[in-house]
Every structure is written in structure tokens, then in C-alpha cells.
Amino acid sequence: MKRILKATALAASLAMSLSATAGDRQAIGEVREHAAKQLAELLDDQTFAAALKENLGKQRTPLVDVIRSYRNHDGTAARGDSTAALRDLERQATRLRGLDGRIDGLLNLRVLGAHGAARTIDPSDFWTAAKTVDATTGQEQLVAFDPDGKPHRYAMDAIPDVPMLVVDTNSPEATRAGIAMVNETLRDLGLQGPEPDEVTTGDEDLTVLKEIHLAYDGEHDSVTEGLTRSEVYAIVNGVGHDGKAHVVFKDMPWLAYDKIWYTPGQDLINWREFSSNYVGFTLYEKDDTDFKEVASAVAGAVSQLSAFGGPYALPITVVSGMTKAIIDAMPNRWLRNDDDYLDSFYVIEKGKDYGTRAKPRKGAANNASIVLEPYTVKGR
């Protein structure tokens, strides 16, 4: 069936609609929706359909790969014009995530409802879709465009079982780049102070996250596997060797779903970085995070606590206060499925075991259950 959406109309309305909502939490959902509209038309282009099929079969297909393949098929200026709106959307999405210049492409395509047969389905039969936020209720929804270009809106637990190309902006690569950017920012602001020379050699004391279980991961349960995969990170905070706040973000790309015990063996805390024997940490689930905003909020929260009257002054009180300050600094909208607060552990002591699977350590919100154990890396 011939699709009725026009690229020129989309490109004309794009700048107006996004400029009005760039500061709103719905903005990146609108970018995804615009991209889904544009894809709905492009699926009628046989060359684009061929480029798409070349890249399907993966769990997640970067849109830049599809566009690159499309333009390599005897590329013409017309082909460049037809993907111009998608390239603009790619740049807009990257900016909204605070990842300008740090990632090749942010928009991805995820195939749903094809049951492993995506390559055998005629691309013109695919629906296109995007996860957005309902402006009235604030609830997540899926906006889908059928082969005639007609929009449909579904609750996340009522998505129809039809072949869909879903535009996504979350990926392990984006999270990794964002976490790296936040840590660089904190380092530049003096909130990840240098290690003292005398401890840069010899044994290295760690606290390892041996096991973890989340009762709720910040994502809505969905009938569609993979659409609501969570992406969790930890914010570890304590006192550095300069007596100032020391804050480190830790990516947890393996922690995908709730109600499952994970056994990562991740080095959560490197005690070489801290001057006292106590730290705290908080768990968040990111969803369309603006990483620049995260860095600014955390830096602002701890900067006022950066002078403690000496690196060993009241370490437990300082660490627990710092953890609370970080939580309080997060805008209220981040507690509504943008960056969901999952749980916090206000005081963790160096060299101490915490919990077992049978009797785990519970977080303050009673959502995360963890098992921690000390580990020493022997120096040369």
C-alpha cells in the first residue's frame, strides 16, 4: 500500500515542534515519533527497503547503518534529500541525550512481532513505531503507523502482535558514552580527585558486587520482549584524598530486567580512590537521560559538601549526607520513568561482607537486594 506521509511536510514541521519542546521530557519521544513517520514513507522506496533488509537480523540495527547502505546503492542527491530529515532527527536526539560528538548514531531500529522472520517480510508490510509519553497522563505509550500511514496509540502492555520497526534511542553504546562523559565532567570539576602517589602501587582493595536482584527496574512490564529493557547505573560517592567529594558513575549494562538474580562480580568500589573507609551508592535506571544534565545536577549537589574540614572528619555522616544530597538534586521528573530512582545504600564499609542470596542486604527503598564482598588485588 502506498504510504501517505510526506518528507517535505515532516521536515518543515520538525524544527517548529522540537524547538517548542526541546526542554521537555517528551522531546526525545517526539524525535522518535517523527523518525517513525519518516520511515513509514521510506519503506515504499524499494532501494531503502533493500538497504533495510540487508541490516535486519540483529537485535538492534543502527539507523545510520541503514542510511549508509541506502546511499551506497548508486547514491544520488535525491537519496540524500530523502534521508535529510532522518539525519536531522539523529542530531536532535544526540543533543537531547547530551552526547554531541560522542556517538556515531543514536537512533536504532528494533524489530518486533516478526518472530525471527524479519528478513522474509516485505518491508512495505511493516508498521513503524516509537515509544513516547502521553502528554495528558504522563504514561509511556507506543505510537505506531500502519502501512497506510494511519497512527495508532497503545499502552505498553497492549501492543498488537504485528511486524513493527520500532525507533529506539537507548543502547549500551549510548549509556557507555554517557557514563564516560559524566565521569570526565566530574573529574574536570575536581570531584574525582587524583590518587595519592603512595597508594598507586601495592595491593588494591575492592568491594565487589557479587549478586543483585531488583524487585522493580523502573520499566513498565510489557508483552514485548526487549522493548522495556532497563539500563541501570550506580553513583558511588565518598570522600577523596583531597578532602573533597569524590563521585564515580558505574555502568551496569548487564542488569536488563527485574525479578532476576544477576551475578556480575563487578568491581563496584575501588577503595584506592577514597580517603575514608566508608562510601555510599545509589542505583538509577536511565531512560532517555540527558547526561549533561545529570553531571550538572550531581556536581551541584556535592559541591557544597566539598570541604569537610579534613578527609577523615565524620566520614559516616558526610557520606550518608552526600548520598541524600545526590538523590535530592535529581529533578522530580526523573522519578517518573525518565531516570528512575531505584534504591540507595547510605553507608558501605571497606573490607566488610554484605549479605547472601538467602539473606541479602536490602537498600533503603527495599527494592534492591545485593551481596557484596571484599576482594584484594595483589600488587607486584
Side-chain angles (χ1 to χ4, degrees):
M1 302 180 194
K2 188 66 179 175
R3 307 199 180 223
I4 60 175
L5 299 171
K6 298 299 180 183
T8 53
L10 173 65
S13 65
L14 176 62
M16 293 178 59
S17 62
L18 291 182
S19 64
T21 59
D24 193 273
R25 77 187 186 101
Q26 294 175 268
I28 200 161
E30 293 181 5
V31 169
R32 288 192 293 258
E33 183 175 346
H34 278 295
K37 287 180 181 179
Q38 176 66 4
L39 283 168
E41 178 181 347
L42 282 172
L43 291 183
D44 270 338
D45 182 326
Q46 292 185 353
T47 305
F48 186 86
L52 176 65
K53 294 188 79 167
E54 287 175 5
N55 288 275
L56 291 181
K58 297 174 284 188
Q59 182 182 22
R60 186 173 40 79
T61 301
L63 181 59
V64 291
D65 290 350
V66 179
I67 292 175
R68 191 176 295 118
S69 296
Y70 175 56
R71 299 187 69 182
N72 285 342
H73 282 274
D74 298 323
T76 66
R79 282 201 188 125
D81 292 343
S82 65
T83 56
L86 283 174
R87 295 199 305 276
D88 287 342
L89 289 164
E90 187 83 69
R91 287 189 286 269
Q92 192 70 256
T94 303
R95 183 186 63 78
L96 288 168
R97 294 292 302 277
L99 296 174
D100 315 61
R102 290 179 173 269
I103 191 168
D104 185 30
L106 188 62
L107 297 180
N108 301 290
L109 302 179
R110 189 183 295 274
V111 177
L112 301 180
H115 308 297
R119 288 179 178 272
T120 64
I121 297 173
D122 185 341
S124 65
D125 291 332
F126 271 107
W127 292 31
T128 62
K131 187 168 68 172
T132 66
V133 176
D134 186 289
T136 303
T137 66
Q139 296 298 310
E140 285 189 334
Q141 62 180 350
L142 193 80
V143 179
F145 300 91
D146 65 25
D148 289 325
K150 181 180 178 181
H152 306 264
R153 298 178 185 275
Y154 301 100
M156 294 302 292
D157 59 355
I159 300 171
D161 186 21
V162 298
M164 289 188 186
L165 285 173
V166 180
V167 179
D168 189 13
T169 50
N170 290 337
S171 69
E173 295 83 3
T175 305
R176 186 163 52 247
I179 296 297
M181 187 274 291
V182 172
N183 283 324
E184 287 175 18
T185 301
L186 295 174
R187 200 154 44 242
D188 292 342
L189 293 172
L191 297 174
Q192 287 187 8
E195 303 165 6
D197 293 340
E198 60 268 24
V199 299
T200 57
T201 59
D203 295 348
E204 191 171 9
D205 293 318
L206 309 174
T207 289
V208 172
L209 178 61
K210 187 177 179 182
E211 302 184 56
I212 185 170
H213 177 280
L214 297 177
Y216 173 61
D217 62 3
E219 287 286 358
H220 296 294
D221 291 333
S222 171
V223 296
T224 309
E225 177 84 10
L227 191 59
T228 56
R229 186 186 192 280
S230 58
E231 296 181 23
V232 178
Y233 62 85
I235 306 175
V236 182
N237 59 270
V239 182
H241 294 280
D242 54 2
K244 297 180 180 180
H246 187 94
V247 183
V248 180
F249 277 58
K250 293 277 188 174
D251 189 12
M252 297 178 168
W254 40 268
L255 213 174
Y257 301 102
D258 55 21
K259 302 174 182 63
I260 296 174
W261 275 101
Y262 289 89
T263 56
Q266 182 178 14
D267 56 329
L268 183 64
I269 304 162
N270 186 333
W271 292 98
R272 174 179 288 177
E273 301 174 1
F274 301 94
S275 64
S276 78
N277 292 337
Y278 304 95
V279 302
F281 71 90
T282 309
L283 297 173
Y284 280 89
E285 192 278 325
K286 60 141 286 300
D287 196 28
D288 299 336
T289 304
D290 180 341
F291 286 103
K292 288 182 179 178
E293 190 177 9
V294 170
S296 176
V298 171
V302 301
S303 60
Q304 59 184 325
L305 304 174
S306 62
F308 304 116
Y312 297 97
L314 301 173
I316 295 179
T317 302
V318 167
V319 167
S320 60
M322 194 186 308
T323 304
K324 183 178 184 302
I326 290 173
I327 297 170
D328 291 345
M330 298 297 188
N332 288 335
R333 65 182 177 80
W334 290 5
L335 306 183
R336 297 200 306 270
N337 209 50
D338 269 347
D339 254 64
D340 285 330
Y341 164 75
L342 297 179
D343 217 329
S344 50
F345 297 82
Y346 283 86
V347 179
I348 300 295
E349 185 176 356
K350 178 181 179 180
K352 186 174 179 179
D353 285 286
Y354 286 93
T356 63
R357 182 176 294 195
K359 194 174 181 180
R361 171 70 181 269
K362 295 280 190 176
N366 202 36
N367 183 37
S369 301
I370 62 171
V371 179
L372 300 177
E373 65 178 18
Y375 184 80
T376 299
V377 179
K378 296 295 184 181
R380 295 181 179 178

